[in-house]
Amino acid sequence: MAKNVTKKKLVRKEYTASDIKLLKAHSRARTPVTKLSKMMKRSEGSLRQKARVLGIGLGHQR
C-alpha cells in the first residue's frame, strides 16, 4: 500500500535589484552566510549560487 503523500509546491523568488545590492554589501562586510540567509529569508545554497553568478565572494572565510 502506498501512502498518499503530497509534495510541497516549490515557489521561486526572483532576486530584485535591492536584493543584489544587499548581497554585495554583505559580501564586502564579510557577513556569515547563515546570518545572511536568515535575514534575506533565502537558503544558503541560493545565496551562494547568486553570488557565484555575480562573481562575488560570500561568507567570512573565502
Side-chain angles (χ1 to χ4, degrees):
M1 271 199 264
K3 289 185 180 180
N4 192 6
V5 180
T6 55
K7 274 185 111 176
K8 189 176 177 186
K9 178 99 170 88
L10 185 75
V11 180
R12 292 179 191 260
K13 195 167 125 184
E14 288 289 321
Y15 275 88
T16 61
S18 60
D19 285 340
I20 293 170
K21 200 174 201 178
L22 188 66
L23 191 63
K24 286 182 179 181
H26 283 286
S27 172
R28 283 189 292 276
R30 292 183 180 259
T31 308
V33 184
T34 51
K35 193 181 257 189
L36 187 59
S37 73
K38 287 174 187 160
M39 191 187 336
M40 292 182 78
K41 293 184 178 148
R42 293 180 182 268
S43 69
E44 287 183 36
S46 169
L47 293 172
R48 288 184 194 281
Q49 284 292 321
K50 190 62 178 180
R52 188 165 188 267
V53 168
L54 295 171
I56 58 176
L58 204 59
H60 68 290
Q61 300 176 315
R62 298 191 204 173

